[in-house]
Amino acid sequence: MPRQSRRRFVRTASVSLLSAAGLGAATGASVAQSANGEFTAVEESPTEKTLFGAVTTEGGPVAVGAGGDVLLRGENGWSKIVEYGPQARSRPLRGVAVTTDGKGVWFVGGSGVIGEYRIDTRTLTNYSAPNGKTSTWEDVAVVGEAGSSERLYFVNGSGELLVGVRQESGAIQYEEVTKPGGGSTIPGIDFYGRTSGHVASTSQLVAETGDGGTNWSRIGIDFAGGAFYDVASVAPDDVNVAGGDGIVYRYDGARWTPHVVDDDRQAIRALDRDGEGGVAAGADGKVYERQSAGEWTRYQTPTDAKLNGVASGPNYDVAVGNTGAIVERVDGTDDGGDGGDGGDGGDGDDGLFPILTSSTTGSLVTSTFDTTTTDSLLDGDLDSEFPVAYDPEAVEHVEEGEWLVGE
């Protein structure tokens, strides 16, 4: 079946900008300077906090990051659609995924935070700490349509996998926790089918499942010497892993082949694949386009920020990173997504989503975020009387997610 990556929703009737760009094949890691509108840096990002992930939805690209910020790219630029996260406690959001139909965005992060934002209904739902799990979630994958058939996969810093399945009642039922990563942190998970996908851990482990996460088989990478940061799962014989030293690893179903896509040997932090196409991102504002199985072209974008997340879609290719950095490549044939209901600017507004905001005057997160910042600083508890005001134009419903304990 057609693959919908955890990082974006692709309108099958549209042509990806990366495919339509008319770029020639490269040998090894050729370099192309960003020019002629190829990539531009967003001059006024809605946040100065680090952004960790991006996906493409039916309403346009969405990015998540520190402070619980969720951003959407509408017709007239980027704006916040959620602030302070699903618990209004500024937990950092580290992973993001989108449903097959592009209507539901799931994000995860510090202290067990899990949230869902519906692009079509502007509904924010808090599903945090299912089964009492309060460890930091590192990433999430989702397969299925929003609100009806989602199968969810959450991974954390303890190497645990928690699978959730949407029930007819609307609640999420969770299965028993497994450890496909052997206890090491799992920074990346991706599924190419409802029950088939891959994980990558920080201990150079890549594992696959074909039964929805109950059983896992290690498939590599025995000779890798550096950390893994992300995984893109296209098929049993088509997997990429983003690694240190400028390497993207390729699996063909039998063997792993390392490809040095960055001659500066800087880490590749994020991957996004869709069929034969692909895009990656890393340090110093660099973005990489997959030309073929072992050929990538490197682009130097107008920023030098470390880029942590990347997403490719029919109208935009985006990468996001430190200090709120956003770089994008825009398809001039379409000004962007429709923004969901009421988000297309067609009623005379500015086309930007209003935000879910709080009446507090301060933030628990500083304007920058790096690996030395602890979750205790980011996740400090707020007073139980912490006042939260919801802009009715931003989120029409705020719900508390329910879950059931699996037998």
Side-chain angles (χ1 to χ4, degrees):
M1 70 179 195
R3 176 179 178 271
Q4 301 289 350
S5 167
R6 64 188 172 90
R7 287 181 174 76
R8 75 260 179 253
F9 157 76
V10 177
R11 296 175 189 151
T12 56
S14 301
V15 178
S16 168
L17 174 59
L18 285 176
S19 299
L23 297 170
T27 300
S30 61
V31 180
Q33 293 294 323
S34 177
N36 300 323
E38 283 288 343
F39 285 98
T40 59
V42 175
E43 295 183 359
E44 297 184 5
S45 173
T47 182
E48 293 182 346
K49 300 165 188 162
T50 291
L51 296 169
F52 293 108
V55 294
T56 296
T57 74
E58 72 163 14
V62 168
V64 303
D69 287 343
V70 181
L71 281 55
L72 180 137
R73 209 293 188 186
E75 284 186 348
N76 297 319
W78 289 84
S79 62
K80 289 183 184 179
I81 53 175
V82 176
E83 193 169 26
Y84 304 118
Q87 292 181 315
R89 289 188 172 186
S90 296
R91 314 292 197 196
L93 301 176
R94 300 184 180 276
V96 60
V98 63
T99 55
T100 304
D101 57 6
K103 295 181 179 180
V105 181
W106 287 81
F107 33 85
V108 299
S111 298
V113 164
I114 299 175
E116 177 202 24
Y117 186 89
R118 288 288 297 271
I119 297 293
D120 53 340
T121 63
R122 298 184 185 179
T123 303
L124 174 67
T125 305
N126 174 31
Y127 289 89
S128 300
N131 293 355
K133 290 287 182 182
T134 57
S135 297
T136 294
W137 299 110
E138 298 289 339
D139 204 5
V140 55
V142 57
V143 184
E145 296 186 355
S148 62
S149 64
E150 297 105 319
R151 187 172 177 88
L152 300 147
Y153 300 89
F154 306 99
V155 288
N156 65 20
S158 300
E160 296 179 325
L161 167 74
L162 183 63
V163 179
V165 182
R166 178 81 72 178
Q167 306 297 297
E168 290 185 5
S169 66
I172 305 296
Q173 180 169 323
Y174 286 88
E175 300 177 358
E176 293 294 327
V177 170
T178 61
K179 284 194 173 185
S184 298
T185 297
I186 300 176
I189 183 169
D190 198 12
F191 272 64
Y192 62 87
R194 185 168 179 82
T195 59
S196 300
H198 296 82
V199 297
S201 81
T202 54
S203 60
Q204 297 84 49
L205 178 145
V206 181
E208 65 178 358
T209 183
D211 62 6
T214 301
N215 297 289
W216 292 84
S217 300
R218 178 169 182 162
I219 59 173
I221 306 174
D222 294 336
F223 61 85
F228 297 157
Y229 297 94
D230 202 1
V231 61
S233 173
V234 180
D237 58 355
D238 190 0
V239 184
N240 282 124
V241 170
D245 294 327
I247 296 175
V248 171
Y249 296 89
R250 173 177 58 88
Y251 184 64
D252 62 6
R255 65 192 63 80
W256 287 95
T257 303
H259 299 281
V260 177
V261 303
D262 186 271
D263 290 338
D264 296 326
R265 305 307 296 266
Q266 293 179 300
I268 310 303
R269 299 280 175 171
L271 274 173
D272 192 11
R273 285 284 313 280
D274 181 50
E276 294 299 317
V279 64
D284 293 335
K286 287 178 284 191
V287 175
Y288 314 83
E289 181 196 5
R290 185 179 189 266
Q291 304 290 343
S292 66
E295 297 176 288
W296 296 75
T297 295
R298 187 175 84 218
Y299 290 89
Q300 178 60 59
T301 71
T303 181
D304 60 0
K306 181 175 73 175
L307 300 175
N308 306 304
V310 66
S312 178
N315 303 314
Y316 300 96
D317 299 312
V318 303
V320 299
N322 287 10
T323 63
I326 304 172
V327 295
E328 60 184 15
R329 183 161 59 176
V330 181
D331 183 351
T333 62
D334 193 325
D335 287 334
D338 58 16
D341 294 345
D344 59 3
D347 57 1
D349 61 21
D350 60 6
L352 301 182
F353 271 42
I355 68 170
L356 167 65
T357 186
S358 166
S359 58
T360 185
T361 58
S363 171
L364 293 181
V365 187
T366 59
S367 61
T368 60
F369 182 89
D370 56 40
T371 55
T372 63
T373 306
T374 65
D375 280 345
S376 62
L377 292 175
L378 288 165
D379 301 338
D381 288 337
L382 296 173
D383 187 270
S384 59
E385 299 300 320
F386 177 68
V388 177
Y390 297 107
D391 183 344
E393 294 297 323
V395 179
E396 296 177 358
H397 306 285
V398 178
E399 304 172 356
E400 184 73 18
E402 299 180 17
W403 52 80
L404 304 175
V405 178
E407 297 182 358

